[in-house]
Amino acid sequence: MAGVAPPLCTWLVAACLSAACGDGEKEKLRRYGGSGGGMLFGSRRRPGARCRGRARSGIPMAVALHPERGAVESKKTDIKQRRVVVTGMGVVTPLGHDPDEFYNNLLQGVSGISEIEAFDCSKYPTRIAGEIKSFSTDGWVAPKLAKRMDKFMLYLITAGKKALENGGITEEIMNELDKSRCGVLIGSAMGGMKVFSDAIEALRVSYKKMNPFCVPFATTNMGSAILAMDLGWMGPNYSISTACATSNFCILNAANHIRRGETDVMLCGGSDAPIIPIGLGGFVACRALSQRNSDPAKASRPWDVDRDGFVMGEGAGVLLLEELEHAKQRGAEIYAEFLGGSFTCDAYHMTEPHPEGRGVILCIENALADAGVVKEDINYVNAHATSTHMGDLKEFEALNRCFGQNPQLRVNSTKSMTGHLLGAAGGIEAVAAVQYHLELVWQRRG
């Protein structure tokens, strides 16, 4: 949102850093796809390579067990022995619905921002957005459900299944998974806004005209729930809604489930579809949006002196996370390793960041500590930078204070091309960061 400060979440993957390792660790990295010089985990195939096969549906259950304390302690897994890796990626974005297409468009500077076509917004001061013009659920979502669901759910389920396909989870492998140790944690900042908005309009006529699915399909957790039911995954299943930090919170929590030994596989990220009249009108009322309607491709301009607000976007970004040994056992392609992260809060204002950037700085420092790396090892930051006056400035100051004059550090904001996908922003930007890492790995290998 407009420089949203609380809450904050930072997580680190090997895609974002170069770490010094001992000889034993280097040998492990060389064996499993890393470049001996620095990046912790790379890919054993080029980014363009694809896997085929889709998951079949199943029926999930949730069972809460409360064993005796002694039993819990005896079965406790040492967190330090559980490493988390990225083995799949799925996206639905204004720049394409495939991780490679999405990343290549970013590299080429293609803008996904244009005039809104979904509804008549001629009377709004903002008439542009990162709107998805072409999208199909064929082969991903059952037609009966596709007609009833809100777009945020359609984006979520499609991106989630694409992450499975990208990760090589074929029907055969899916059947072999221990589904009680597979979970879904994909959040949304806004939830089913269109479904709920339509229900309100129907209520003006009569409650009898309301869609019976309007309440469940408006809740932010229902996308994850439907996906889990389709896959038959019985592990942790919920969503987190923390405004623009939604995807980051979901990814970090998903990784922690694996680190704690509770799961082996997690689908995580975020999805949002806010480009509807009430969504656009709400942000216009906040005076948070750019009004550069005459030049959509240049409207979202993080850190630019002439920036005048953010540009709304829509879509979903999902990562497939796995425990390292689990991924190796099934012969998965390892893209990157998740090292750690942190949650903090500015405790200052609903939208304005703390003047001294305390929450951001604390979050970065805690994330580095949790990951076990030093700031000099970081070589890339995909910043939140939404193109708002105060938010961009304070984030830049916090990054400068944390990393100082790090000669290898590159800071970027992909929102200049996608717009701000709200709860899905961290998801698609995680995919961009991992893709950047893979590109560096292949460059080093010649």
Side-chain angles (χ1 to χ4, degrees):
M1 294 183 184
V4 169
L8 303 168
C9 175
T10 297
W11 59 273
L12 301 176
V13 295
C16 305
L17 56 89
S18 171
C21 305
D23 293 338
E25 189 65 16
K26 287 182 179 178
E27 176 59 26
K28 289 181 183 178
L29 301 182
R30 282 194 289 269
R31 288 174 58 197
Y32 301 113
S35 56
M39 298 297 179
L40 292 185
F41 270 99
S43 169
R44 295 198 297 273
R45 69 177 177 192
R46 291 190 178 277
R50 301 184 66 179
C51 295
R52 296 186 179 182
R54 290 188 190 139
R56 297 267 176 151
S57 60
I59 300 176
M61 294 175 61
V63 182
L65 301 178
H66 301 280
E68 294 299 322
R69 181 176 179 82
V72 173
E73 292 178 347
S74 65
K75 294 181 181 180
K76 201 171 191 179
T77 302
D78 186 351
I79 292 177
K80 293 182 180 179
Q81 301 302 313
R82 302 273 297 182
R83 295 169 64 179
V84 183
V85 294
V86 180
T87 57
M89 302 176 286
V91 295
V92 174
T93 78
L95 291 180
H97 310 325
D98 171 83
D100 295 322
E101 178 189 12
F102 165 63
Y103 184 66
N104 289 332
N105 280 331
L106 287 176
L107 293 181
Q108 294 168 18
V110 175
S111 176
I113 299 169
S114 59
E115 293 184 3
I116 295 173
E117 298 177 0
F119 60 95
D120 181 10
C121 56
S122 58
K123 296 182 180 180
Y124 291 77
T126 293
R127 298 181 292 278
I128 56 175
E131 183 180 53
I132 294 174
K133 305 297 186 184
S134 177
F135 172 71
S136 173
T137 60
D138 291 349
W140 304 107
V141 183
K144 186 175 181 180
L145 285 175
K147 292 179 181 179
R148 296 172 173 173
M149 289 180 177
D150 190 275
K151 274 188 176 181
F152 100 91
M153 296 175 67
L154 300 179
Y155 294 159
L156 183 157
I157 294 170
T158 301
K161 290 187 176 181
K162 286 189 173 186
L164 292 175
E165 182 182 65
N166 180 262
I169 303 291
T170 62
E171 180 180 347
E172 181 181 358
I173 292 176
M174 177 64 77
N175 291 334
E176 294 175 353
L177 293 176
D178 180 352
K179 293 182 174 60
S180 68
R181 296 185 60 79
C182 299
V184 183
L185 210 178
I186 306 173
S188 176
M190 311 302 287
M193 294 184 69
K194 182 66 164 59
V195 166
F196 202 73
S197 178
D198 290 346
I200 293 174
E201 291 303 314
L203 183 59
R204 296 181 189 279
V205 178
S206 169
Y207 71 89
K208 296 180 180 180
K209 299 292 184 180
M210 294 175 68
N211 179 350
F213 295 94
C214 66
V215 173
F217 282 1
T219 59
T220 59
N221 73 297
M222 194 53 62
S224 284
I226 294 294
L227 180 55
M229 285 190 283
D230 196 6
L231 302 176
W233 285 15
M234 300 166 61
N237 180 264
Y238 58 103
S239 70
I240 297 173
S241 183
T242 48
C244 314
T246 292
S247 286
N248 282 354
F249 269 78
C250 290
I251 293 170
L252 178 49
N253 272 276
N256 284 340
H257 281 299
I258 297 176
R259 294 166 87 188
R260 291 194 297 261
E262 298 164 358
T263 62
D264 296 319
V265 182
M266 293 290 297
L267 281 171
C268 53
S271 178
D272 260 319
I275 305 176
I276 62 173
I278 192 172
L280 180 64
F283 283 114
V284 164
C286 292
R287 293 182 292 182
L289 300 180
S290 169
Q291 297 183 19
R292 205 179 298 271
N293 300 300
S294 60
D295 196 359
K298 296 181 180 179
S300 181
R301 44 175 67 199
W303 299 302
D304 190 272
V305 67
D306 294 323
R307 63 190 183 281
D308 68 331
F310 77 84
V311 177
M312 293 175 67
E314 63 178 349
V318 176
L319 295 182
L320 175 63
L321 300 184
E322 288 187 64
E323 191 274 325
L324 176 60
E325 296 304 319
H326 184 278
K328 285 160 52 179
Q329 186 174 8
R330 73 173 184 87
E333 303 287 349
I334 295 173
Y335 295 138
E337 179 174 6
F338 180 97
L339 297 180
S342 175
F343 306 120
T344 63
C345 176
D346 263 347
Y348 177 73
H349 188 271
M350 282 194 300
T351 58
E352 294 294 326
H354 192 283
E356 298 175 7
R358 291 179 181 176
V360 178
I361 293 170
L362 179 63
C363 196
I364 293 174
E365 291 176 344
N366 289 349
L368 290 171
D370 184 52
V373 299
V374 295
K375 61 184 180 182
E376 289 78 15
D377 290 330
I378 305 299
N379 63 10
Y380 179 74
V381 172
N382 204 97
H384 181 59
T386 62
S387 192
T388 60
H389 286 288
M390 190 59 68
D392 287 14
L393 177 62
K394 294 305 175 183
E395 183 180 14
F396 170 78
E397 291 176 350
L399 289 172
N400 189 52
R401 188 168 166 187
C402 286
F403 298 107
Q405 301 300 315
N406 183 343
Q408 71 170 350
L409 180 65
R410 293 185 178 183
V411 180
N412 180 45
S413 175
T414 52
K415 290 184 180 70
S416 60
M417 291 166 279
T418 65
H420 187 2
L421 273 64
L422 306 180
I428 68 166
E429 290 167 24
V431 171
V434 172
Q435 289 281 58
Y436 175 75
H437 160 64
L438 294 176
E439 182 182 21
L440 291 182
V441 169
W442 283 107
Q443 285 178 357
R444 291 178 180 180
R445 291 178 178 177

